[in-house]
Amino acid sequence: MPMTTFATAETKDADVNGTKFVYRTLGPKDGVPVLFLHHLTGVMDDWDPRLIDGIAASHPVILFDNRGLGGTDGIAPATVDEMAVDAVAFVNALGIEKVDLFGFSLGGFVAQAFVQREPGLVRKIILAGTGPAGGEGISGVGALIQNAFQKAGATGKHPKHFLFFTETAEGQAAGDEFLSRLEERTENRDAPARDETIGAQIAAIDNWGGSEATDLSTVEHPVFVANGDEDIMVPTVNSFDLAKRLPNARLSIFPSTGHGGIFQHHKLFVQQALEFLR
């Protein structure tokens, strides 16, 4: 029987307090699963297949759409804390006793709220391209997105070329490769994010960025913080701040890369993530 991959994983659904949540699982059956928490607008198909298949080679992986996103029913909440409540409820609905959290960008905010709400449910945490509540330059993402769409329209490129990657030749080539990989799953693809969901997520990000800083000294779990050194969506200084404020954190910064540094340097990042999760 061929191994399940990002491109072939079956889309399943679970009842979470009366709401249908969609999800996919891949990787080994045994071990602590890695729960992936996604970025603004991100649905299951927006994860980099190289990253997912790389982690799933050694660890069970769970991809899911949180409330109101992609194929999951309901209305997306407009706060990070509510998103974390839904993520916890999803894990509980699957009957899982312990997870590793992988939070990218907005998903990293959710991961922080998740572990502070349910510390006993979490073993280890990876925080990529993300930052703490009240972090520098996190609010106002709507203007960044608008600017990226204008650049995309003028150049015939995708907005992620400008949001996730630097505007150097190397960065734009990495963007081409990343976007090409996102098309590798050709069947049973996820539904795109709805406009009202995107609006709620932007409100949640602005609220997180404008909030008071939270005390992270109580998060004693092992944490791996990663980012590119030229992140414009969640400025890289926030990754340094997270690593400083979390008592058991390690930090990896990729040179000459943006918000999507973990995708541009997926081979090295997967190697680092597997070492951390081991």
Side-chain angles (χ1 to χ4, degrees):
M1 187 172 169
M3 190 175 79
T4 300
T5 66
F6 176 87
T8 62
E10 175 191 359
T11 301
K12 311 171 189 176
D13 61 75
D15 182 288
V16 181
N17 299 328
T19 299
K20 186 194 80 171
F21 275 55
V22 297
Y23 70 103
R24 297 173 187 155
T25 58
L26 57 160
K29 300 298 182 193
D30 298 326
V32 175
V34 183
L35 179 73
F36 280 74
L37 300 160
H38 224 331
H39 65 76
L40 169 69
T41 77
V43 298
M44 291 187 289
D45 292 341
D46 290 309
W47 287 111
D48 190 329
R50 298 298 175 275
L51 195 156
I52 300 302
D53 289 340
I55 302 293
S58 306
H59 298 267
V61 161
I62 302 172
L63 311 179
F64 82 114
D65 289 337
N66 214 335
R67 181 182 303 273
L69 188 63
T72 291
D73 292 343
I75 298 170
T79 70
V80 168
D81 284 339
E82 289 174 282
M83 293 174 185
V85 168
D86 286 338
V88 169
F90 168 71
V91 171
N92 287 335
L94 294 188
I96 296 169
E97 296 181 356
K98 190 81 73 174
V99 292
D100 292 330
L101 298 177
F102 188 117
F104 174 57
S105 195
L106 168 59
F109 308 161
V110 177
Q112 292 171 63
F114 185 118
V115 71
Q116 289 183 305
R117 179 173 289 277
E118 293 288 344
L121 199 52
V122 180
R123 186 183 72 117
K124 293 184 176 184
I125 309 163
I126 296 175
L127 298 174
T130 194
E136 184 178 320
I138 291 174
S139 294
V141 72
L144 267 177
I145 292 169
Q146 192 172 18
N147 183 51
F149 269 87
Q150 288 172 349
K151 286 182 176 179
T155 59
K157 293 185 174 184
H158 194 286
K160 283 180 180 174
H161 274 105
F162 304 102
L163 294 169
F164 281 19
F165 302 93
T166 63
E167 294 189 41
T168 63
E170 183 181 3
Q172 293 300 287
D176 290 341
E177 292 169 8
F178 168 70
L179 290 162
S180 176
R181 293 196 296 272
L182 296 189
E183 300 304 316
E184 290 178 359
R185 183 181 176 97
T186 56
E187 297 181 1
N188 302 311
R189 288 182 63 87
D190 203 355
R194 303 183 279 283
D195 287 346
E196 58 269 28
T197 296
I198 297 169
Q201 290 183 328
I202 289 173
I205 292 169
D206 283 343
N207 179 271
W208 180 263
S211 297
E212 292 291 319
T214 51
D215 179 15
L216 297 174
S217 66
T218 58
V219 181
E220 298 176 349
H221 306 65
V223 183
F224 175 35
V225 181
N227 206 348
D229 66 347
E230 298 182 39
D231 188 345
I232 62 167
M233 293 203 74
V234 184
T236 307
V237 64
N238 291 290
S239 295
F240 287 95
D241 189 20
L242 277 174
K244 190 187 304 179
R245 291 169 55 191
L246 289 159
N248 192 10
R250 64 177 74 176
L251 177 66
S252 181
I253 299 294
F254 297 102
S256 304
T257 55
H259 192 59
I262 64 170
F263 308 134
Q264 184 166 344
H265 296 283
H266 57 84
K267 288 182 183 176
L268 178 57
F269 174 69
V270 166
Q271 180 183 329
Q272 293 175 342
L274 289 175
E275 180 185 330
F276 169 73
L277 291 170
R278 191 168 296 125

